[in-house]
Amino acid sequence: MDKQQSTQDVLGAVVTFPAIKPGHRLVPAKVGRTNDTSVIAYVECPLFCIEDHVDEPVRNIEDIVHRGDTASLLVPTFGYGAYPIQMHASVENDPVATDPQYRAAHISVQDAGGSGSHLTPEMAERLADEAVKFASLLRNQARTARRYNDHVAAVAA
């Protein structure tokens, strides 16, 4: 066997993979009905995604959703509320959704019960502007309540 023939044999056995899309990396994902029948598949995962697709297995590969870090706002209470008000936001995308807005990276905002909204980046920026206004008004209300409490305490003394 000559050298050229053995090189051909080796190169013929090499399997080439398609290029990974920009902004993605190849990661393992556990897919299957049960642990006994699950398989590991490799999927393109956006760089923003922090999900462990092996520790969070899915039944079908098309059920994989990508999510980034979560930002949370928790509103405490000194009252009788069972749970504080909670709001969580993260970047996500569903690569096989029929709606292109879900396929695109977007912001998912949810409450503690899982109800929520999906926002385009532009919608999220408008919401952030409203949240800044809300924070300013909340700070003003805190000052008003503090001044009232200080005044009542001073009059009572």
Side-chain angles (χ1 to χ4, degrees), residues 60-155:
N60 299 304
I61 200 159
E62 36 305 320
D63 295 334
I64 294 174
V65 174
H66 303 287
R67 289 184 187 85
D69 282 325
T70 299
S72 297
L73 177 65
L74 307 175
V75 181
T77 181
F78 64 81
Y80 297 104
Y83 298 100
I85 296 170
Q86 300 178 28
M87 187 165 57
H88 310 282
S90 61
V91 175
E92 71 177 41
N93 89 306
D94 183 348
V96 298
T98 55
D99 185 331
Q101 288 185 304
Y102 286 99
R103 278 196 312 270
H106 62 279
I107 296 81
S108 173
V109 179
Q110 298 183 344
D111 64 15
S115 296
S117 299
H118 295 272
L119 311 170
T120 65
E122 295 75 22
M123 293 168 73
E125 292 209 352
R126 286 193 299 275
L127 176 60
D129 291 343
E130 291 298 317
V132 168
K133 289 178 196 174
F134 178 81
S136 178
L137 293 170
L138 183 62
R139 192 174 298 278
N140 189 45
Q141 290 171 342
R143 282 192 291 268
T144 298
R146 187 174 291 113
R147 277 196 311 268
Y148 173 80
N149 291 341
D150 290 347
H151 174 71
V152 169
V155 170

Side-chain angles (χ1 to χ4, degrees), residues 17-99:
F17 290 99
I20 307 295
K21 287 187 269 187
H24 291 75
R25 64 192 184 288
L26 200 59
V27 300
K30 191 172 188 181
V31 180
R33 289 179 170 232
T34 67
N35 280 335
D36 293 337
T37 62
S38 292
V39 297
I40 298 294
Y42 284 84
V43 297
E44 285 184 332
C45 190
L47 295 178
F48 68 79
C49 184
I50 62 163
E51 296 281 303
D52 185 332
H53 298 298
V54 173
D55 280 349
E56 298 292 330
V58 293
R59 180 174 252 183
N60 299 304
I61 200 159
E62 36 305 320
D63 295 334
I64 294 174
V65 174
H66 303 287
R67 289 184 187 85
D69 282 325
T70 299
S72 297
L73 177 65
L74 307 175
V75 181
T77 181
F78 64 81
Y80 297 104
Y83 298 100
I85 296 170
Q86 300 178 28
M87 187 165 57
H88 310 282
S90 61
V91 175
E92 71 177 41
N93 89 306
D94 183 348
V96 298
T98 55
D99 185 331

